[in-house]
Structure formats: structure tokens, C-alpha cells
């Protein structure tokens, strides 16, 4: 059997059959398309689908304007400047991706990117422009050899993009469900997408657990930074989309490549949760990284010094910290002067001052923190996953664009470009309606809410910037112990944690943490933002390939890790059921 888009269904039931413990839906909506997430990717695809006459519902975990996009400071990368070309943007992206980018996907991104940015401007986004010429002002960030970063409000690009898209969604009359945590994918007996279940957190027209029925679901849920103790991600970034996709039977890839932003405001060794970001654009405008003695330690380490790709800068900072037994380094931009700080970086200036640091007169203490997941739910060039009717775009997706390390400010562009392509695919090839007869799923154990802190500390200690076989083994053992305790209580005593937002989030975090650690253990090399102290060199002969992970359909507690043959992804039309290399199964 096949869908109208020509893709074969799995034919083996509702994904893995594993679902979160939750009450049965007490209300329901019907739609043609349901978009989960309200960042640049989610709102762009919603606008395009609604404009084509598809009944579209947007589900978002917080308020419509409270996704990860609004926290983006630096800007959006595209070949918009004089003398710049998509080919040059492609070259910089491939270098940053450390040999693991899918070149076809990157070429698509950089070629379609400028047009997508112009359509964003037509939607209402206002970028900073030169007062004399009226041209869009462009800056540089790490890994870029040209000024190609468009920004807004100095360092408030994400907030401006979010404002414009939210206003456009309201103007279009698109139905939205806010304060809603998505739980699981609804699927028919053939494994086709039939909608989502969700829990609305006590506000708005709906409350409690409900469902949105639709043959097309787009995951645009953002990242999973909250799996670590310190991150630039908001508190809602708990990997919900990746965990949902895994339970539905989808494949994820490249989860070992977590980008740690080099310059996050250091608030102390015990700081947890969302930390203030100091945008790479500060270095793009000429700030220096220095140690406590004022020495510029990145000079000589890379031709671009402080503007090297993020993995290189993060490693440079960590090495210097190790050499000097220091907890942080410094970002020195005192030479900017007060006027430049106030006009170009007002958000960062205010954040620093709120923590007692004045960048106008003193260096800023900085250290790396979890920032961006280069991997995610595996998709093709139209955003389609291995589950019929399920799409993914933005940080939750793995399109092959980022490879082993995302090039700065390519993320907003990826969200725009692939959101437009998803909408085009849904309009041109509407997913077939799901058939009746959804099977009764297996309910896995829920973790107690307090497990969230345990997971974050385990991951920070064992799978952070620096990794080794020993640290990853310890992390895997500790995560397995958390799961085993929850499973024992469920299967032996018939008990599990009380269903609720905190326990669902903790359970999702454990799911993505275990996948990340399994992939990181398997990849025995250092590449991009995956840094193995026990395998310090890049190994193209053995590891210029992707690791694809799924949940076993036959063993409810197993992860299956498969290697691709090359850096290019195989088609999503045929999920990788038979590994091309030995399976690594791991008890959950």
C-alpha cells in the first residue's frame, strides 16, 4: 500500500507501539495539517499551507511568540551582499560540517536561501539597514569568510522574525492551540499519520489531554538543550519532537553532534538551566577571546582566529581552561565603546549588566554551553520522515545540511527553506487519509519529575564538550539505571509516575539522552562538535558516514544504531530496517 505521495507505508502497525502514559483524549479538532511548534520553521510552513487553502492548526508548547526563534541574537545567513554567492556560502557550510554535510541539501539551502529571506521580509520582518543606502546591513560570524548575516534590532533578530510571523498568523486567522505539550503521534494500522495527542496546560479554549486529527503532521518543536545542565535553550526545549518521532517509528540521525556555543555568559560552576548567550556577532564585530592574563589564545590556532567554526573555538576555550585550571575565559570588547554596545548589542549589554558585568568597561566571563542539536529526525529534501505523513523542519530535523557542526546563523535559514519545501510537498502531494483501526499501544514507564536534574547532570558530566569511552559508558549506565528503576516499578508493581508535564518532559529527556549517548559511544573519532579525548583525530576512512538510530519494533527496550555507507543520506522511502553494518542494540 502506498500514500498519494508515492511512499510505501511500513505496513507493520503504529510505529513502535510505545506511547507515553496519559489520559484518553477528552476533546478533538480536525484539520488538514497540524504544525507542532511556533518558531520560524513552524509558522512559515503554517502560513504557506493556510495560504494554499489547507485547514491548518498550530500547536505550541508555550505562547505563540515564545519559541526558540525569539532567542536568536546573531541573525540569518544568506548570500545577499555584493560579491557574495551561494557557492561561497556552500563552501563555508561544508567546511564547518566537517565532511558530514549532504552536499545536495546544502546546495539547495544556499541557493533557495536568499529568496526565502526576501519572502520573510515581504511577510513583515524588518532587518537593520544602512542609514544612507537603505541596503540590509550584514555582519560576520564564525566560519563565514564574508559578511552575510542579516540582523534586526542590533542583536534581536529572532524576536523581530517571531513578531512578524506571529502577526501574519493572526492576520491569516490560523487556528492555534497554545500552552500545549504534544504527547504522541496518532497512526492507523498501516503506520500512517493520523494526527497528534496533546495536553493543554490549563489555559485557553481546551484543557487537559486532547487530539488534533490530520493526515499531515509537521514537527517544528525546536531543540533538546535541556538535556544538559547549562544551555542557551529555553526551558521548553526538552526534545519532545525527537522522542515523539522515535516512538512513532521514525529514524533519527547525528544526535551525537551537539553544538556547544563557545561564548555563553559564565554565571558560576553550579549554574543550571537557560544561560545568557553572547552572540557570535560580537566576535564578528571585532571582540577578542582572552585568558585571565589578557592573552589572545585563538590567534595561531586557526586562520579565522576568534571567528573559526564554533567547534574549533569551543575546543580552544576548553583547552585553555584545562591548561590554566580555569572555569572560564573572557570576551574582551571594551574597545567597542559605549555607543556601539548600546546600538549594536543592546540585548547582550542589558543581560550582562543584569548579572553585574559591564562589557563597556570589563571583559565578559564566558564558557561553552549546549546550544544547538545538529542532528534530529531524519528527513529528505522535502522534510518527509520515514513515517508516512510525518514531516520535520528546523532544529528538530536532520536534513543533512549541518553535518557534524552547524555553520553560524544557518539554522534560521534552514527553518525557512525547508518549511517552504514541506508546504509545497503537502499541497502537491497531500498525504492519504489515515484508515480506521488504530492499535492499542504499549505504555512505557514515566520518570518522576526530579529525574530531570539527574539526567542533566549525567549528560553534562559524561557527554558534554569533552567525551571519552569511560565518561560515555558511565553516562549510559546511569541513564539505564534510571530507566530500569521506572520499568521495574511499572512491570513488577504496576506503578508509574503520575502523568503530567514534568514527568512527560523527564521521560522525553531520558529518551533523547540515551540515543545521544549510544551514538556518541559508537562514533570513535573526533569530528565537528563531537570531541572524543580517547580518539582525538578525525577518521574519514571509517567514520565519514552517519549513525541512524531507531527504537526496536520487536524489543520494546532496545535501541538500534545503523551506519550509512556515505555522508549522503539514503532515501526515506525505505527506512533502514536492515543495517549495512552491525547493529548496536542497547537495553533501555
Amino acid at each position: 500500500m502506498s500514500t498519494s505521495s508515492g511512499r510505501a507505508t511500513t505496513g507493520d502497525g503504529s510505529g513502535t507501539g510505545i506511547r507515553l502514559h496519559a489520559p484518553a483524549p477528552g476533546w478533538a479538532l480536525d484539520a488538514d495539517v497540524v504544525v507542532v511548534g511556533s518558531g520560524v520553521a513552524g509558522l512559515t510552513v503554517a502560513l504557506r499551507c493556510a495560504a494554499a487553502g489547507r485547514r491548518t492548526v498550530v500547536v505550541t508548547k508555550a505562547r505563540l511568540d515564545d519559541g526558540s526563534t525569539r532567542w536568536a541574537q546573531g541573525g540569518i545567513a544568506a548570500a545577499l551582499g555584493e560579491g557574495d554567492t551561494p557557492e561561497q556560502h556552500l563552501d563555508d557550510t561544508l567546511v564547518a560540517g566537517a565532511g558530514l554535510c549532504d552536499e545536495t541539501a546544502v546546495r539547495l539551502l544556499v541557493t533557495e536561501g536568499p529568496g526565502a529571506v526576501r519572502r520573510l521580509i515581504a511577510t513583515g520582518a524588518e532587518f537593520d539597514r544602512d542609514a544612507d543606502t537603505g541596503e540590509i546591513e550584514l555582519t560576520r560570524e564564525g566560519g563565514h569568510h564574508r559578511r552575510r548575516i542579516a540582523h534586526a534590532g542590533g542583536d534581536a533578530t529572532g524576536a523581530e522574525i517571531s513578531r512578524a510571523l506571529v502577526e501574519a498568523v493572526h492576520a491569516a486567522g490560523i487556528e492555534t492551540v497554545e500552552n500545549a505539550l504534544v504527547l504522541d503521534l496518532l497512526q492507523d494500522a498501516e503506520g500512517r499519520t493520523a494526527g497528534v495527542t496533546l495536553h493543554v496546560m490549563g489555559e485557553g479554549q481546551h484543557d487537559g489531554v486532547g487530539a488534533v486529527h490530520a493526515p499531515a503532521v509537521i514537527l517544528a518543536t525546536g531543540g533538546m538543550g535541556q538535556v544538559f545542565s547549562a544551555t542557551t535553550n529555553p526551558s521548553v526545549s526538552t526534545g519532545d519532537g525527537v522522542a515523539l518521532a522515535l516512538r512513532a517509528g521514525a529514524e533519527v540521525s547525528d544526535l551525537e553532534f551537539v553544538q556547544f556555543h563557545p561564548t555563553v555568559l559564565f554565571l558560576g560552576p553550579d549554574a543550571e538551566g537557560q544561560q545568557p548567550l553572547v552572540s557570535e556577532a560580537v566576535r564578528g564585530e571585532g571582540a577578542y577571546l582572552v585568558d585571565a592574563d589578557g592573552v589572545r589564545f585563538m590567534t595561531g590556532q586557526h586562520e579565522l582566529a576568534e571567528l573559526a567554526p564554533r567547534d574549533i573555538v569551543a575546543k580552544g576555550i576548553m583547552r585553555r581552561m584545562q591548561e590554566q585550571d580555569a572555569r572560564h575565559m573572557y570576551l574582551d570588547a571594551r574597545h567597542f565603546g559605549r555607543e556601539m554596545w548600546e546600538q549594536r548589542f543592546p540585548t547582550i549589554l542589558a543581560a550582562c549588566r543584569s548579572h553585574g558585568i559591564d562589557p563597556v568597561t570589563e571583559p565578559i566571563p564566558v564558557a561553552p554551553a549546549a546550544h544547538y542539536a545538529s542532528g534530529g529526525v531524519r528527513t529528505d529534501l522535502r522534510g518527509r520522515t520515514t513515517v508516512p505523513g510525518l514531516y520535520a523542519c528546523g532544529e528538530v530535523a536532520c536534513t543533512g545540511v549541518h553535518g557534524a557542526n552547524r555553520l553560524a546563523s544557518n539554522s534560521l535559514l534552514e527553518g525557512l527553506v525547508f518549511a517552504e519545501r514541506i508546504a509545497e510537498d503537502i499541497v502537491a502531494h497531500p498525504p492519504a487519509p489515515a484508515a480506521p483501526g488504530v492499535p492499542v499501544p504499549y505504555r512505557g514507564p514515566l520518570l518522576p519529575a526530579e529525574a530531570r536534574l539527574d539526567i542533566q547532570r549525567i549528560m553534562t558530566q559524561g557527554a558534554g564538550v569533552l567525551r571519552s569511552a569511560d565518561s560515555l559508558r558511565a553516562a549510559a549506565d546511569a541513564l539505564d539505571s534510571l530507566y530500569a528503576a521506572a520499568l521495574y516499578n511499572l512491570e513488577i508493581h504496576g506503578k508509574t509516575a503520575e502523568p503530567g508535564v514534568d514527568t512527560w518532559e523527564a521521560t522525553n529527556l531520558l529518551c533523547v539522552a540515551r540515543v545521544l549517548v549510544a551514538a556518541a559511544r559508537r562514533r570513535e573519532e573526533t569530528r565537528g562538535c563531537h570531541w572524543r579525548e580517547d580518539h582525538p583525530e578525525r577518521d574519514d576512512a571509517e567514520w565519514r558516514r552517519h549513525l541512524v538510530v531507531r527504537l526496536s519494533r520487536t524489543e520494546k527496550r532496545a535501541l538500534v544504531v545503523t551506519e550509512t555507507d556515505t555522508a549522503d543520506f539514503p532515501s526515506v522511502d525505505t527506512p533502514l530496517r536492515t543495517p549495512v553494518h552491525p547493529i548496536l542494540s542497547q537495553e533501555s
Side-chain angles (χ1 to χ4, degrees):
M1 182 177 290
S2 65
T3 68
S4 57
S5 60
R7 297 178 57 216
T9 62
T10 58
D12 54 359
S14 184
T16 64
I18 301 172
R19 296 293 182 269
L20 291 172
H21 269 277
W27 54 270
L29 299 173
D30 291 319
D32 298 319
V33 178
V34 57
V35 179
V36 187
S38 60
V40 63
L43 295 188
T44 297
V45 73
L47 286 166
R48 299 293 185 272
C49 287
R54 302 301 187 269
R55 184 182 175 190
T56 303
V57 174
V58 175
V59 174
T60 185
K61 196 172 179 181
R63 303 293 293 180
L64 204 59
D65 62 351
D66 202 25
S68 293
T69 290
R70 78 179 184 94
W71 296 99
Q73 293 175 346
I76 184 167
L80 298 168
E82 184 178 354
D84 197 6
T85 64
E87 197 70 25
Q88 294 176 67
H89 190 181
L90 179 141
D91 289 343
D92 286 345
T93 300
L94 295 180
V95 169
L100 273 193
C101 295
D102 184 317
E103 186 168 341
T104 302
V106 178
R107 190 170 297 278
L108 181 154
L109 176 82
V110 300
T111 302
E112 298 185 7
V117 173
R118 294 185 182 99
R119 286 186 288 277
L120 177 63
I121 293 170
T123 302
E126 298 180 2
F127 289 91
D128 295 336
R129 295 179 180 271
D130 185 275
D132 297 325
T133 66
E135 296 294 323
I136 294 175
E137 289 184 341
L138 302 172
T139 189
R140 279 182 68 194
E141 291 187 358
H144 293 273
H145 283 79
R146 283 191 176 272
R147 285 182 171 264
R148 65 167 65 98
I149 315 300
H151 49 83
D155 57 0
T157 309
E160 171 57 19
I161 291 174
S162 181
R163 177 205 63 76
L165 291 174
V166 168
E167 287 185 4
V169 164
H170 287 318
I174 296 173
E175 186 169 4
T176 61
V177 182
E178 297 182 307
N179 302 298
L181 170 63
V182 67
L183 299 176
D184 279 301
L185 191 72
L186 293 170
Q187 295 170 270
D188 69 7
E190 295 295 329
R192 290 178 297 193
T193 294
V196 292
T197 55
L198 63 156
H199 173 78
V200 180
M201 295 173 260
E203 297 183 26
Q205 181 180 357
H206 303 288
D207 192 9
V209 175
V212 182
H213 299 288
V217 171
I218 299 109
L219 296 178
T221 53
M224 44 185 260
Q226 288 292 325
V227 79
F228 295 97
S229 296
T231 177
T232 62
N233 290 190
S235 61
V236 295
S237 297
T238 51
D240 307 320
V242 171
L244 175 151
L246 282 163
R247 290 192 295 269
E251 297 173 350
V252 304
S253 186
D254 296 0
L255 240 61
E256 68 270 34
F257 297 115
V258 177
Q259 186 177 87
F260 286 77
H261 198 288
T263 54
V264 175
L265 184 62
F266 181 76
L267 299 180
D270 299 321
E272 295 181 335
Q274 186 177 10
Q275 311 289 302
L277 174 67
V278 182
S279 170
E280 198 151 322
V282 178
R283 280 175 280 139
E285 296 292 350
Y288 308 129
L289 279 167
V290 298
D291 60 20
D293 297 322
V295 176
R296 286 183 63 187
F297 55 87
M298 285 305 300
T299 302
Q301 291 199 36
H302 190 275
E303 59 165 335
L304 296 176
E306 283 89 356
L307 284 177
R310 288 179 177 175
D311 63 308
I312 294 172
V313 179
K315 290 170 186 173
I317 291 174
M318 292 299 296
R319 287 193 185 101
R320 196 66 157 194
M321 288 166 57
Q322 288 179 322
E323 291 169 2
Q324 299 187 343
D325 193 24
R327 290 176 170 173
H328 62 82
M329 290 288 108
Y330 293 93
L331 187 64
D332 192 351
R334 289 175 290 180
H335 52 285
F336 284 6
R338 183 178 305 277
E339 183 177 354
M340 181 174 175
W341 267 111
E342 291 176 347
Q343 292 183 3
R344 181 68 179 84
F345 301 110
T347 306
I348 299 170
L349 179 62
C352 289
R353 285 177 170 171
S354 71
H355 291 284
I357 299 157
D358 189 351
V360 176
T361 60
E362 59 186 318
I364 306 168
V366 293
H371 182 57
Y372 189 88
S374 294
V377 185
R378 186 168 80 86
T379 75
D380 66 6
L381 299 182
R382 289 179 283 176
R384 302 182 306 170
T385 74
T386 51
V387 174
L390 180 64
Y391 297 78
C393 59
E395 190 173 355
V396 70
C398 184
T399 62
V401 161
H402 303 309
N405 184 40
R406 174 182 65 106
L407 181 66
S409 288
N410 267 359
S411 51
L412 292 177
L413 189 70
E414 182 196 31
L416 272 181
V417 168
F418 284 88
E420 292 186 341
R421 294 183 68 82
I422 287 173
E424 291 172 1
D425 189 68
I426 289 174
V427 172
H429 309 286
V438 177
V440 177
Y442 166 80
R443 305 285 183 184
L446 291 179
L447 266 68
E450 57 268 23
R452 177 172 179 151
L453 289 177
D454 294 331
I455 295 166
Q456 290 172 334
R457 289 165 185 160
I458 290 166
M459 293 298 290
T460 297
Q461 292 171 5
V465 180
L466 298 176
R467 302 166 178 175
S468 68
D470 290 342
S471 76
L472 291 166
R473 184 183 305 111
D477 290 345
L479 295 172
D480 287 348
S481 294
L482 288 176
Y483 187 89
L487 187 66
Y488 179 84
N489 285 332
L490 176 64
E491 295 189 342
I492 304 301
H493 300 297
K495 297 179 180 179
T496 192
E498 187 71 22
V501 173
D502 291 344
T503 56
W504 289 322
E505 286 185 334
T507 303
N508 285 339
L509 283 171
L510 180 64
C511 177
V512 297
R514 294 187 58 256
V515 173
L516 191 162
V517 169
R521 292 180 74 183
R522 183 75 184 94
R523 183 172 291 279
E524 295 179 335
E525 66 160 352
T526 290
R527 181 187 297 271
C529 48
H530 172 64
W531 188 3
R532 287 284 298 260
E533 292 181 284
D534 52 337
H535 295 280
E537 302 301 324
R538 172 170 154 176
D539 183 358
D540 279 351
E542 181 63 27
W543 286 112
R544 196 163 179 262
R545 63 184 78 245
H546 299 276
L547 294 173
V548 178
V549 185
R550 60 178 172 86
L551 296 184
S552 171
R553 292 172 181 269
T554 55
E555 299 177 50
K556 297 298 183 188
R557 298 191 294 154
L559 299 177
V560 180
V561 182
T562 303
E563 299 170 17
T564 65
D565 279 328
T566 69
D568 294 331
F569 280 128
S571 169
V572 298
D573 291 342
T574 305
L576 297 178
R577 297 287 175 243
T578 304
V580 293
H581 290 278
I583 289 178
L584 168 68
S585 286
Q586 203 167 287
E587 282 293 305
S588 318

